[in-house]
Amino acid sequence: MKISLYFATAAVALMMIPMHADAAGRVKARGATQNEEGGVTVGAASCARGSAGAACRARAVETDGQGNAQAASGGCAKGASGAGCRASTTTKGADGSVSRQSGSSYQSETGSASSSGSYQRNPDGTYSGSRSSSASGAAGSYQSDTTVSSETGAARSTTASGENGSVSAETTYKRGEGGSREVTCTDASGAVVACPF
């Protein structure tokens, strides 16, 4: 699967915005073609620019004629308050398997945030996945990590901290077996204290 080739082509096309942008500062491109794998590749890309900022996005779907398919999308935007990007890819196999990866990020003068994750479903129905998210700014920081599996269940670890201390939580759950949750709080000096909730 050569879906990345589409994005390379789209990037080249978007660099030609001054030649093809309309009066409002917008440019669009789309198309469909048969590929070497016996399937089709369909894609679209667009950009818009104005006084408030600019944004670009692209998406594509590719098949190989044998039941395999891949879809991808992504975009970035920039404005007065900050800039961010996101992207995702989903792959479906002829054997029934499915996998997905995604991520996003944001940056401003006061802080930043990001998230990324993946998911896999196998032909036999078993699955697994994970996601990690974080953020930081003047008020403090946040981190969360989650895993899920058809065999072990779900687990999440979360920590939030600021000038007054921190809170961390560990949570697990498995269908048919139940779960557990443990929360720990600390004060500004790092000493463990009773949680106020």
Side-chain angles (χ1 to χ4, degrees):
M1 308 290 278
K2 301 182 179 65
I3 203 166
S4 59
L5 178 62
Y6 165 75
F7 284 108
T9 304
V12 173
L14 292 175
M15 290 193 314
M16 298 173 14
I17 289 175
M19 295 176 61
H20 302 288
D22 61 19
R26 298 183 301 253
V27 62
K28 295 182 179 181
R30 65 178 60 195
T33 182
Q34 291 185 329
N35 56 48
E36 296 177 356
E37 287 79 18
V40 296
T41 300
V42 181
S46 64
C47 272
R49 182 182 302 157
S51 58
C56 290
R57 61 182 180 177
R59 61 185 185 276
V61 176
E62 185 175 75
T63 65
D64 65 1
Q66 299 178 10
N68 301 299
Q70 186 176 27
S73 64
C76 288
K78 183 178 182 181
S81 60
C85 292
R86 62 174 180 79
S88 66
T89 302
T90 301
T91 302
K92 177 183 178 299
D95 58 2
S97 62
V98 176
S99 65
R100 177 177 171 81
Q101 294 182 324
S102 63
S104 62
S105 64
Y106 176 79
Q107 181 77 43
S108 72
E109 294 181 355
T110 59
S112 62
S114 64
S115 179
S116 62
S118 62
Y119 174 81
Q120 174 73 42
R121 188 186 71 195
N122 303 311
D124 62 1
T126 58
Y127 59 86
S128 62
S130 64
R131 177 156 291 278
S132 179
S133 301
S134 63
S136 62
S141 62
Y142 169 86
Q143 176 71 44
S144 179
D145 297 291
T146 302
T147 60
V148 62
S149 167
S150 54
E151 295 184 1
T152 62
R156 174 177 292 176
S157 176
T158 303
T159 301
S161 61
E163 60 180 11
N164 296 322
S166 66
V167 179
S168 62
E170 304 287 337
T171 306
T172 62
Y173 176 79
K174 186 175 182 181
R175 182 179 298 179
E177 297 182 10
S180 64
R181 185 169 184 260
E182 182 179 350
V183 181
T184 303
C185 298
T186 66
D187 61 17
S189 68
V192 177
V193 298
C195 295
F197 49 82

